Amino acid sequence: MRKPIIAGNWKMNGSRDSIKTLLDGIKAGMGDVKAAEVAVCAPYIYLPDVADQLKGTAVAWGGQNLSTEEKGAFTGEISASMLLDFSCKYVIVGHSERRTLYGEDDALVAKKFAVAHKAGLTPILCIGETLEEREKGITEEVCARQLKAVIDEVGIKTLGEGVIAYEPVWAIGTGKTASPEQAQDVHAFIRGMLAEHDQGVADGLRIQYGGSMNAGNAKELLAMADIDGGLIGGASLKAEDFLAICTAAD
Ligand code: PGA
């Protein structure tokens, strides 16, 4: 059985005060979360606060990005070892905002996956099609290309030690969620592609859905056979909403 994983992606939101309130709320409600593993991915600068506040709790934390480099003259970058220095467990790689706004291509994302995994972080690899790509009928082709880049770089077994987040770009932050059936179709396609490489990896790898998942639609989405959790943006910024998604996995 795959343990569902609900991860908050705070993006560039929050302040020291608001994060304290948010984490106090999440910690207070964690007793009700039975099935899901829970994590939050915070802006770099708040990771020390997050680590202090979550140490010893059941909530893991992580970064939203990382550098492919270990150290040196890379102004503004953060390395895997720096994330580990603050006990991050996870790091998001290839989020669609990084791909579209910051020009991260498949090759760079695959390298980031490799570097994160090698350092001992668990990468959360985001893949997904844009609206234009969906309308053209190439959703599967796009997801396959994005996955293949990582499999080519690290191999199927290493990919299997990460987490995949299927996030249709048209559903991110738009309030337009993929229907449970639409999401399930793509999740099943992804798992099928993994199975062509390695059945064990396909059976064990967790595939999150992301894109306007909220307290109201989480239960239906999480009930689908191949949806093993969620990567939550907007709805992860309020403890009550985030916890409702976490308990929806029960
Ligand atoms: P959203 O973001 O839940 O606000 O749509 C999800 C994500 O981008 O990971």
Side-chain angles (χ1 to χ4, degrees):
M1 268 301 282
R2 296 181 293 268
K3 188 178 174 68
I5 171 169
I6 307 293
N9 172 13
W10 293 351
K11 309 192 179 184
M12 197 173 74
N13 291 296
S15 63
R16 296 188 84 178
D17 277 351
S18 73
I19 285 169
K20 168 108 182 38
T21 306
L22 175 57
L23 291 179
D24 283 346
I26 294 173
K27 286 190 284 186
M30 277 302 287
D32 296 329
V33 178
K34 302 283 178 269
E37 180 181 348
V38 177
V40 295
C41 295
Y44 291 140
I45 197 162
Y46 296 127
L47 284 170
D49 284 1
V50 170
D52 276 348
Q53 288 168 49
L54 292 181
K55 197 166 38 190
T57 73
V59 184
W61 60 94
Q64 301 171 6
N65 184 26
L66 81 166
S67 171
T68 55
E69 303 297 333
E70 251 168 64
K71 62 175 177 169
F74 303 101
T75 301
E77 293 292 290
I78 295 286
S79 69
S81 63
M82 292 173 181
L83 294 177
L84 287 164
D85 219 2
F86 288 92
S87 307
C88 285
K89 178 169 184 195
Y90 292 101
V91 63
I92 298 171
V93 300
H95 189 277
S96 75
E97 286 147 22
R98 302 288 327 162
R99 291 179 191 262
T100 58
L101 302 175
Y102 299 98
E104 296 195 9
D105 61 12
D106 292 342
L108 180 63
V109 172
K111 185 96 193 292
K112 289 189 173 190
F113 188 105
V115 165
H117 177 270
K118 186 156 178 253
L121 292 160
T122 300
I124 298 176
L125 169 68
C126 299
I127 62 173
E129 81 289 359
T130 62
L131 183 59
E132 199 190 344
E133 289 163 340
R134 174 160 284 263
E135 285 171 347
K136 273 200 215 149
I138 57 169
T139 295
E140 294 185 352
E141 199 179 303
V142 170
C143 292
R145 192 201 71 221
Q146 292 172 336
L147 263 186
K148 182 175 180 299
V150 179
I151 296 171
D152 287 351
E153 176 80 23
V154 301
I156 187 72
K157 293 278 190 216
T158 295
L159 174 63
E161 288 171 14
V163 174
I164 292 175
Y166 167 60
E167 301 205 298
V169 178
W170 48 273
I172 295 178
T174 57
K176 262 211 295 193
T177 323
S179 71
E181 294 73 24
Q182 271 176 328
Q184 167 60 25
D185 281 352
V186 183
H187 281 237
F189 168 77
I190 294 166
R191 203 174 304 284
M193 179 172 166
L194 299 171
E196 284 171 20
H197 289 84
D198 188 306
Q199 188 63 50
V201 167
D203 291 342
L205 212 172
R206 294 177 295 178
I207 308 175
Q208 299 172 304
Y209 168 79
S212 300
M213 196 190 259
N214 59 40
N217 59 31
K219 204 160 190 78
E220 271 190 316
L221 284 158
L222 294 169
M224 304 310 281
D226 289 296
I227 301 184
D228 311 312
L231 185 57
I232 320 298
S236 72
L237 298 172
K238 267 181 63 189
E240 194 188 336
D241 296 348
F242 187 60
L243 286 163
I245 299 172
C246 295
T247 52
D250 288 347

